[in-house]
Amino acid sequence: LLRRVAIGIELETLLRVWCWVWRPLKYVFGLFSAASTPMSLPSISPDLSSPERLQRSLEAKEKAAELFKNGQFEDASALYAHIAEATVRLEDTGGAAIACDLSAGTKVQVNKGGEVYEGAMVAFVNDDDTVDVVFDEGDEDEDGVPISRIRLACSSDEASSDLAKCHVQCLVNAARCEVKLRKHDTALQFCERALSCDPRSVSALFVGARCNRELGDFDASAKALVAAIRLSPKDSSLRNELAEVQELRQERKSRDRELAAMVL
C-alpha cells in the first residue's frame, strides 16, 4: 500500500513538473510558429465602391490593432501600410472621386476605366476642388494612348471622407509599429506621408517628433511639436515632450561649445 502511495506521489510530482516546463515551451513554440507563418493580406479590390472599401479597410484595421496589441509589430505595420495603400486611390469615373484630402507630391493609385495605375502623383491642388495627377512615363490607357496628366474632381461624400481619415490613421499606426521595432527612419517616412494628406494631424506630428528626437534631429522635433501644440494647445503631453527636446538641444549646444573651446 505504501509503495502504491509513493508511486502515486511520484507520478503527481512528474505531472506538475511537466506542466511547469510545457506551458512556457508551448508559448515560445507558438511565437516561433506565428513568426514563421507569413501573414496573408486581405484583398481590398479597387473595383469596390467607396463604402465597401471602407468597410473592408476598417475590418482589416481592427485586425492590425490586435496584432499590435499582441506585440506582432512587423505584421501590424505591413497590414496598416496595406490598408493605407487601399484607401488612397483616386476614382476616374467621369467626375472622379478622390478618396483622400491630398496635397502636391502625394503618390496615389488611379482607377481609370477599371484599370489601376500605380505610381501616379498629385502635381497640383487647384482652387476649384480639383487636382491634377501625373503618371509614370510609359503608362497607357486601354486604347494604348500614353497618359501623362489628368484632372480629377474632389468628392465630398461621407465614405470618401472616412477613407481619408482611415488612410491617415493607418499611416500613423504603421509609424508607431516601426517605432516599436526601433526603425525610426521608416516610421518618420510614414508620418511624412500622413502629413502630406493631413497637415493638421496632431498624431502624425507627435510621432514624427519622437522619431526625429531618437534620430538626434532636435530642431525638426521641436518644430513638429510647436506645430502640434498650435493645433492642440491643451495637450500637456505635447508641452512636456517639447520641454524635454529643448533640454536635449541645449545640452548638445553646451557640449559643442565645450568641445570647440578644447580645440581652440
Side-chain angles (χ1 to χ4, degrees), residues 87-133:
T87 50
V88 62
R89 182 177 291 119
L90 311 188
E91 303 293 336
D92 181 11
T93 55
I98 291 180
C100 187
D101 185 14
L102 300 167
S103 60
T106 303
K107 291 185 178 180
V108 295
Q109 296 174 323
V110 175
N111 182 7
K112 180 176 173 59
E115 189 76 21
V116 177
Y117 298 91
E118 308 281 351
M121 184 178 71
V122 175
F124 296 102
V125 180
N126 305 305
D127 294 333
D128 59 351
D129 288 334
T130 63
V131 294
D132 291 344
V133 178

Side-chain angles (χ1 to χ4, degrees), residues 44 50 53-62 64 79-88 99-101 158-174 194 197-198:
I44 307 175
S50 291
R53 196 160 72 244
L54 175 63
Q55 179 62 33
R56 292 202 182 183
S57 296
L58 292 177
E59 291 172 356
K61 188 165 170 275
E62 289 182 4
L79 185 50
Y80 278 127
H82 175 70
I83 302 166
E85 292 300 324
T87 50
V88 62
C100 187
D101 185 14
E158 185 176 351
S160 293
S161 177
D162 289 341
L163 278 168
K165 294 176 184 176
C166 182
H167 172 73
V168 173
Q169 290 169 356
C170 286
L171 288 173
V172 175
N173 289 343
C197 269
D198 182 9

Side-chain angles (χ1 to χ4, degrees), residues 31 34-35 37-42 59-83 173 177 180-181:
L31 289 179
T37 304
M39 182 186 63
S40 59
L41 297 173
E59 291 172 356
K61 188 165 170 275
E62 289 182 4
K63 181 180 178 181
E66 189 67 24
L67 290 170
F68 184 91
K69 182 179 177 181
N70 292 335
Q72 296 173 256
F73 302 122
E74 287 189 9
D75 286 345
S77 178
L79 185 50
Y80 278 127
H82 175 70
I83 302 166
N173 289 343
C177 294
K180 289 288 187 181
L181 296 167

